[in-house]
Amino acid sequence: MYVVLIGRPGVGKGTQAQRLCAELGLARIATGEMLRETIRSGGEDNQKIAASIDGGNLAADDVIMKLVKDRLSKPGFENSCLFDGVPRTVAQAEALDELLWRRNAKIDVAVEISADTDELVGRLLERAKIEKRRDDNLEAIHRRMDIFTRRTEPILEYYQERGVLRSVDGLGTRDEVFGRIRNCIEVR
Ligand code: AP5
Ligand code: MG
């Protein structure tokens, strides 16, 4: 089973992905976390990635798809994966379909989690006090929101056309949101 979680920064993709994977036994790919790990490992190329994501801009599609391809080829990803934060562009959605097609699989469900931007900015500024993520400042947060609208929202139509899009409300307690997403995922 291959599942995509789509939603604005702060909507709860990471929070829900961890629990879904733990409870449903799905493997997980979270490209934001992978990029932050890559940056921590140092190197000149990685400084370019850091400059881009710290300011709230997207990393290049080819960088992302290489990370995804490498990770998908690892043990544990043969039959399932929950994608947190990828795809984020139509080009990534197409490339991911191609990767899955090669292994005779497809995205079974893409879950859009939505919430009002003001609530999300508030959540991210709260998180900034604790986690110190370099892109959790007001300027980068606004850029991330804007990029979601321009670059990521078009993938909703992409999955809608393929009949796999489901949408849930991301407001409410973590448990409530979990229940809504869980209802969209039919484990076979
Ligand atoms: P990424 O790490 O994916 O960040 P993001 O999409 O901006 O989302 P966040 O991780 O900030 O939020 P989330 O939805 O996971 O919410 P969370 O559960 O943490 O990507 C970072 C950057 O990497 C991107 O900007 C881009 O530059 C680059 N990148 C990544 N993937 C890429 C790709 N595919 N292509 C190109 N570039 C890419 O929750 C947020 C906060 O709210 C937490 O504190 C949480 O505890 C709290 N919270 C969660 N649920 C609730 C609730 N129900 N009620 C109240 N609070 C809640
Ligand atoms: Mg996250």
Side-chain angles (χ1 to χ4, degrees):
M1 161 131 233
Y2 292 89
V3 180
V4 173
L5 291 189
I6 308 165
R8 286 183 181 276
V11 81
K13 300 180 296 294
T15 303
Q16 300 299 339
Q18 286 180 27
R19 184 167 166 197
L20 288 160
C21 289
E23 294 195 16
L24 304 179
L26 302 172
R28 170 171 175 242
I29 289 182
T31 43
E33 286 175 18
M34 290 167 79
L35 288 170
R36 287 187 286 278
E37 274 164 32
T38 304
I39 292 166
R40 277 195 291 272
S41 72
E44 204 173 305
D45 285 352
N46 296 338
Q47 285 316 305
K48 279 192 210 145
I49 300 177
S52 155
I53 85 164
D54 286 354
N57 291 300
L58 294 184
D61 288 338
D62 58 344
V63 169
I64 294 295
M65 293 319 296
K66 181 169 186 327
L67 287 175
V68 172
K69 186 177 179 196
D70 290 351
R71 187 58 63 91
L72 268 181
S73 68
K74 296 231 157 34
F77 292 84
E78 295 85 356
N79 301 309
S80 82
C81 185
L82 187 148
F83 298 95
D84 162 2
V86 66
R88 261 180 222 248
T89 63
V90 172
Q92 290 178 20
E94 289 169 348
L96 181 59
D97 276 353
E98 167 89 21
L99 277 179
L100 293 177
W101 180 77
R102 286 176 189 283
R103 55 206 284 166
N104 224 353
K106 62 177 178 54
I107 297 298
D108 297 286
V109 57
V111 183
E112 174 198 13
I113 315 170
S114 52
D116 174 74
T117 301
D118 288 347
E119 155 81 17
L120 302 182
V121 173
R123 285 188 193 175
L124 294 176
L125 292 176
E126 274 308 304
R127 185 175 69 186
K129 294 178 192 161
I130 312 158
E131 281 190 28
K132 310 262 181 274
R133 247 176 71 170
R134 294 166 65 98
D135 58 351
D136 279 348
N137 59 76
L138 211 46
E139 195 183 336
I141 290 170
H142 282 302
R143 184 164 298 127
R144 285 153 66 197
M145 295 294 173
D146 177 50
I147 287 177
F148 182 87
T149 305
R150 290 190 291 110
R151 306 285 313 277
T152 307
E153 271 185 356
I155 73 173
L156 298 175
E157 193 182 332
Y158 180 92
Y159 287 120
Q160 175 86 54
E161 282 168 358
R162 283 154 185 76
V164 295
L165 183 70
R166 303 287 177 272
S167 297
V168 303
D169 185 356
L171 292 183
T173 65
R174 290 166 179 76
D175 284 349
E176 284 166 344
V177 178
F178 177 80
R180 293 175 198 141
I181 301 174
R182 180 68 188 80
N183 284 338
C184 300
I185 304 177
E186 194 185 313
V187 179
R188 281 162 298 162

